[in-house]
Amino acid sequence: MNLNQIQQNETFKIQDLTELHPFVKRRLKDLGVYEGKEVKVIRYCPLGGPCLLECSGQRVGIRRKDTFCIKGARLS
């Protein structure tokens, strides 16, 4: 399952980031978003805009196309 398949206010456990560009993967890791972490989808912006995630109490915006490359499992 990819992150883009998760609805708003659902929690997702990240299991695989290998399809992300290495720079994006590094940047997300610096922000605390890495494999094994749980993230909550706060909002998808309209018209294919960015996705707002909450991870460890902080909110991170990522490009919609990057959500297709983040694999994991739905938790709630």
Side-chain angles (χ1 to χ4, degrees), residues 21-73:
H21 189 280
F23 293 138
V24 175
K25 185 176 177 180
R26 175 57 196 237
R27 180 67 180 143
L28 288 176
K29 185 177 179 183
D30 290 344
L31 294 170
V33 179
Y34 48 85
E35 293 162 344
K37 291 294 278 191
E38 294 178 11
V39 297
K40 182 177 180 181
V41 175
I42 302 298
R43 182 173 186 225
Y44 290 106
C45 293
L47 304 173
C51 171
L52 183 62
L53 303 175
E54 184 174 286
C55 179
S56 301
Q58 66 178 351
R59 293 187 173 186
V60 177
I62 63 172
R63 295 180 293 188
R64 179 74 61 99
K65 72 177 190 177
D66 290 334
T67 64
F68 289 87
C69 301
I70 298 175
K71 299 189 183 310

